[in-house]
Every structure is written in C-alpha cells, then in structure tokens.
Amino acid sequence: MTIGRITNFLLFFIVLIGLSIRPTVAQQLGGPSHGADKPYFLTAAFMCEKIENRQPVNPTAVFSASRKKMYCFSSFDDVRSKSYIYHNWFRRDVPVANIKLLLQSPKWSTFSSMPLRETEKGPWRVEITGENGEILSVLRFSVAD
C-alpha cells in the first residue's frame, strides 16, 4: 500500500469517526417525521472517486490531482414531491459551480462531478443546499499530489 493510499484511508477513517460522533442530518432535522416545512431530508452525503450503479465508490477526503474527476453524492429520503437541491462547489472559498439537481419521491440519490486539473490543488468544499438556500450539509476535502 502506498503512502498516498494510507493517507487517504486514514483521512477517510477520521472523517467517518467525526461523522459518527455528531448527530446525523436526519437527527438534526428531526428524523422521518421532520415536519411539514421540510419536503425531504438528507440521509447521506459523500465525496468519492467515482459513481457506479448510482452508488458512491471510494469515499475520500483527499483526491489525487492525477484523477480526472471528483464526485459529490447525496441521498434523500421521505421526498414528498418533486424538488430541487444544489451542489455548490468552492475552491479556496471561491465559487466554482452551482449545480441544480432534481429529487423525486419517495427516495432519491443524486450526484455532481467536477473535473480535476493539476492546478487545482488545495482546499475545496461542496455546500449542499435546498431550494431556498438552506444549507443541508457541507463536505470539506482537498486535492493534493
């Protein structure tokens, strides 16, 4: 196993531990019975190396600049009606893309991607927001050698 793979594994493990300590998004929104004002709730969100069969593959917090793409995956439950969410991509706090994604009833998973270039190393984040701009989740990650 290379140093880069070990580093990616350790960072992913640390992220998972951090996520397991804090309340889940579903708990923060009150679980499945989250109230009439919420048309859906976020059940999972990951940065990953690719998507296969509409599922995230190799979740990570650090992407190698040699990869061609990075993906943001989000999954929703209790979707009451056709809705939209956004994956807002930022590099060093500068907006890069604002991607509108469809949600449909009753459960829905969706993703967006961003090409990777050698010149785009450094800190990144994706803010997953609802139609009214409310932040559902923030995924922080890095692009490195």
Side-chain angles (χ1 to χ4, degrees):
M1 191 180 279
T2 66
I3 297 293
R5 284 234 182 251
I6 292 170
T7 302
N8 282 350
F9 176 78
L10 289 174
L11 285 171
F12 177 66
F13 185 70
I14 290 167
V15 168
L16 283 180
I17 289 171
L19 290 175
S20 66
I21 292 171
R22 60 180 208 186
T24 66
V25 173
Q27 290 169 329
Q28 291 171 5
L29 295 176
S33 58
H34 46 70
D37 61 329
K38 301 288 184 191
Y40 49 76
F41 70 92
L42 179 66
T43 57
F46 298 100
M47 295 306 301
C48 59
E49 293 182 351
K50 61 183 175 176
I51 302 288
E52 287 181 357
N53 299 318
R54 300 197 53 82
Q55 294 299 314
V57 176
N58 296 332
T60 187
V62 179
F63 289 90
S64 169
S66 65
R67 297 201 64 80
K68 299 296 181 206
K69 272 188 177 178
M70 52 189 167
Y71 294 84
C72 178
F73 172 88
S74 54
S75 182
F76 294 82
D77 201 356
D78 198 24
V79 179
R80 296 182 183 156
S81 62
K82 181 178 165 181
S83 303
Y84 293 93
I85 55 110
Y86 295 86
H87 285 180
N88 302 302
W89 292 74
F90 296 84
R91 180 178 162 262
R92 298 186 188 274
D93 294 326
V94 176
V96 174
N98 181 8
I99 302 170
K100 185 177 183 179
L101 300 163
L102 172 69
L103 301 181
Q104 294 196 50
S105 180
K107 292 182 177 188
W108 200 260
S109 295
T110 190
F111 63 91
S112 63
S113 65
M114 190 64 50
L116 268 171
R117 295 177 201 93
E118 185 71 27
T119 58
E120 295 181 333
K121 294 177 187 170
W124 284 74
R125 78 176 185 275
V126 174
E127 291 179 356
I128 301 172
T129 61
E131 287 182 276
N132 298 321
E134 68 277 13
I135 295 177
L136 305 174
S137 184
V138 177
L139 302 173
R140 298 181 189 281
F141 58 99
S142 295
V143 175
D145 288 327

